Amino acid sequence: LYYGQFGRDAGRTFNANIGSNLVRGYTAGSFYRNECVGIGVCEEVNRLVGSQIAVASAEIRFPLLSPMFGWVPPGVPPIEGAIWGDVGIAWDQRSTLAFQRRPGDNPFTVRTPSTAVGFSLRTNVFGIMILRADGEQLLDHQLRSLVLATNTSSYSRAP
């Protein structure tokens, strides 16, 4: 996925964010307080935002518990597992893109990819909502522990 704004007004009205929904694991809770030196001055958060973004994702889903197995009683909601990997980068006109920062590089202008891997468990709860639990490992951040997250989403079917 690529999104970009160009010209002299690029980024003035709207900047794209690769965190949370595009590169999983990068949420407000993914950063330590000491990573930000002041209000609005946080290199780790700023590198997720730009007038242009590029994102790639791979995911493999597989059934863990399903009525099609034959031994699962009727009425038990199916449970699906997934393993996934996400990578994304955000930049603007002042940025330089690199795979890795070198010592002395300005963290606000040298942008590097944000990467994460993880697993998910999902179930459709009686056709009312999707309940999901994720385990996420950020590969390029000092938060090296596994992050667990839950998510619910409801939906309705068109007649």
Side-chain angles (χ1 to χ4, degrees):
L1 169 75
Y2 170 79
Y3 168 83
Q5 298 175 13
F6 300 93
R8 68 175 190 263
D9 293 334
R12 292 180 88 183
T13 57
F14 172 76
N15 275 321
N17 182 346
I18 63 171
S20 192
N21 291 326
L22 296 176
V23 179
R24 289 170 274 197
Y26 286 88
T27 64
S30 302
F31 302 99
Y32 293 117
R33 188 175 299 160
N34 65 350
E35 291 180 275
C36 301
V37 295
I39 296 174
V41 184
C42 188
E43 64 186 64
E44 290 298 324
V45 174
N46 287 352
R47 76 188 193 117
L48 302 176
V49 178
S51 60
Q52 299 180 61
I53 62 170
V55 178
S57 181
E59 180 172 303
I60 298 172
R61 293 185 182 181
F62 46 90
L64 294 174
L65 185 67
S66 173
M68 72 179 182
F69 290 159
W71 52 268
V72 178
V76 173
I79 298 175
E80 183 179 79
I83 55 174
W84 52 265
D86 294 338
V87 62
I89 190 166
W91 70 96
D92 58 28
Q93 294 172 340
R94 300 177 311 266
S95 301
T96 302
L97 304 182
F99 283 107
Q100 206 170 25
R101 263 192 226 123
R102 295 185 309 258
D105 281 347
N106 182 339
F108 292 100
T109 58
V110 178
R111 299 291 181 99
T112 57
S114 300
T115 54
V117 295
F119 65 90
S120 296
L121 297 174
R122 298 169 30 122
T123 186
N124 182 333
V125 183
F126 308 113
I128 299 170
M129 72 175 150
I130 304 294
L131 180 63
R132 188 179 88 199
D134 293 322
E136 301 148 346
Q137 178 69 53
L138 309 181
L139 299 179
D140 59 333
H141 189 264
Q142 68 182 5
L143 182 63
R144 292 289 183 179
S145 61
L146 186 66
V147 176
L148 297 176
T150 59
N151 187 3
T152 59
S153 58
S154 60
Y155 66 95
S156 61
R157 295 183 189 169

